[in-house]
Amino acid sequence: MTIWNLIASLFLASLQTSLMLAQGRHFVTNDRLSLGTEVFRSASVRLGDIDGDRDLDIVVANGRHWPQQDYLFINQGGAKFSVMRPLGTDRTTTYACELADLDGDGDVDILATSRGRQNRIYLNDGKATFSKGPAFGTQGDSTIDVAVADINHDGHRDLILANRDGQQNYLLLNNGKFEFTERRLYGTGKDQTRAVAVADLNGDGNLDWVTGNIGLPNCVYLGDGVGNVLKAIPFGQADRQTYSIAIADMDNDGELDIVVGHVSNQNSVFFNLGDGTSFQEETFGPKTSATYGLCVGDLNGDSFADIAVANSDDLNYVYLNQPRTNPSGTK
């Protein structure tokens, strides 16, 4: 066997393993896994250990164009969310609440993006009480989503913005003083981008990011490690309306997968086939979904990443990641 035949054989074996793992998982929910019983115009959902008890809690951003209350859902263990707390006192037109330690004190802070208003950072005092921090962007921005990561390897967390309404998408680089003034443009400038997520999809040590678009295919942007794009790779169908994106290893095969939330269609998991540029799609949820936001993490302690979705004008749900051989309780 030549070296090229060996390489081809190994690649095919890896591809077959990825396909088998992807086909072995599906995502189910039931009425007990709804986040409360009230219906909001929810736009975003994020996971993080807000109360320091070592399980994942949920932040839901509500309102969109209409002022509504944002909420925290505290995980009591095993994906049981029986405590619901308001986030702040104001009802606002919120599109996203991002969780990250932005001021370097070890506590999880929150970024809130507001379409048509300046975006705001809320700082955590370590006891899940939040005060207003610095703003970013401008009053005229239509920022729908933002991802937080150190894109240029300088030790400071940067912001990747997803903008709509004909606005250019861009990165905001952190200058080390908790200021976000330097912009790096990406995309065509005409993308109707609703969502963005960041991770190293191709394993080159540099962070990449993924955008969810309306009326265009979604896109993987391979980063060069200093804030620029090496290559843009489209995926998914152009006629779908993608409103949310998350990245995680959903089948525990060592490769990062992409989770996508749609409006007026089923949601999808795109299982990574090994190179970060080709994927196998697995759908979940009803065809009538209006999933404006989603997030992934192990909510029930079984070592597989689950999915929490934020639906507009419908209940929000947790979807548990289960073997396909256990269909009970599916929805």
Side-chain angles (χ1 to χ4, degrees):
M1 177 180 292
T2 67
I3 186 63
W4 298 113
N5 288 336
L6 178 61
I7 291 173
S9 177
L10 291 173
F11 175 77
L12 288 174
S14 176
L15 181 61
Q16 290 171 351
T17 299
S18 296
L19 287 168
M20 289 173 62
L21 287 169
Q23 292 169 354
R25 311 299 302 181
H26 68 161
F27 306 91
V28 302
T29 193
N30 57 52
D31 292 338
R32 297 294 299 273
L33 292 171
S34 68
L35 297 177
T37 59
E38 299 173 85
V39 172
F40 298 98
R41 289 181 172 170
S42 301
S44 173
V45 59
R46 290 293 181 263
L47 309 182
D49 184 7
I50 299 296
D51 55 357
D53 66 351
R54 298 186 180 181
D55 55 27
L56 293 177
D57 310 301
I58 297 178
V59 180
V60 179
N62 297 315
R64 299 194 290 118
H65 299 284
W66 303 268
Q68 290 185 338
Q69 182 69 57
D70 302 329
Y71 286 100
L72 305 176
F73 291 86
I74 305 300
N75 192 346
Q76 304 301 299
K80 182 180 180 181
F81 297 91
S82 57
V83 176
M84 178 179 177
R85 296 179 185 172
L87 176 60
T89 58
D90 294 338
R91 295 189 177 196
T92 59
T93 56
T94 306
Y95 257 95
C97 288
E98 294 294 335
L99 307 181
D101 178 18
L102 290 163
D103 55 357
D105 64 357
D107 301 320
V108 177
D109 307 307
I110 296 177
L111 288 81
T113 64
S114 300
R115 186 180 184 184
R117 298 174 54 206
Q118 198 167 25
N119 307 304
R120 174 68 65 178
I121 295 171
Y122 292 89
L123 300 177
N124 188 351
D125 67 354
K127 299 178 181 178
T129 301
F130 296 86
S131 61
K132 284 187 177 180
F136 63 95
T138 68
Q139 293 286 353
D141 279 352
S142 284
T143 303
I144 306 298
D145 198 11
V146 58
V148 181
D150 181 8
I151 293 295
N152 56 355
H153 298 288
D154 66 353
H156 306 297
R157 293 191 172 185
D158 310 302
L159 307 179
I160 307 172
L161 274 61
N163 293 325
R164 200 184 170 186
D165 298 328
Q167 291 192 349
Q168 174 74 56
N169 292 326
Y170 58 85
L171 282 64
L172 285 174
L173 299 183
N174 189 341
N175 64 4
K177 301 178 181 179
F178 209 25
E179 298 170 342
F180 303 91
T181 54
E182 183 180 350
R183 292 189 179 195
R184 296 288 178 87
L185 307 181
Y186 73 91
T188 66
K190 299 180 180 179
D191 299 324
Q192 291 287 345
T193 302
R194 296 283 321 207
V196 61
V198 60
D200 182 6
L201 286 169
N202 61 352
D204 66 351
N206 297 323
L207 289 176
D208 315 303
W209 56 99
V210 183
T211 59
N213 302 316
I214 297 175
L216 291 170
N218 302 320
C219 197
V220 173
Y221 292 91
L222 300 180
D224 67 353
V226 294
N228 302 311
V229 176
L230 286 175
K231 188 177 181 181
I233 303 162
F235 71 97
Q237 299 181 29
D239 61 350
R240 291 187 180 176
Q241 301 181 72
T242 298
Y243 275 49
S244 49
I245 290 277
I247 301 173
D249 183 0
M250 302 302 294
D251 52 1
N252 289 357
D253 68 347
E255 307 290 348
L256 291 175
D257 311 303
I258 302 173
V259 186
V260 174
H262 294 125
V263 168
S264 300
N265 213 309
Q266 284 188 291
N267 301 322
S268 301
V269 175
F270 287 89
F271 288 99
N272 188 345
L273 297 183
D275 60 0
T277 62
S278 56
F279 305 92
Q280 177 192 358
E281 184 178 9
E282 170 76 19
T283 59
F284 68 95
K287 293 181 179 179
T288 56
S289 291
T291 300
Y292 274 66
L294 57 79
C295 197
V296 299
D298 182 8
L299 294 169
N300 61 354
D302 68 350
S303 299
F304 281 89
D306 308 301
I307 305 171
V309 300
N311 294 320
S312 183
D313 295 314
D314 198 357
L315 292 176
N316 302 318
Y317 283 96
V318 167
Y319 285 83
L320 296 180
N321 184 346
Q322 296 186 351
R324 190 172 293 280
T325 55
N326 180 21
S328 63
T330 61
K331 180 175 181 177

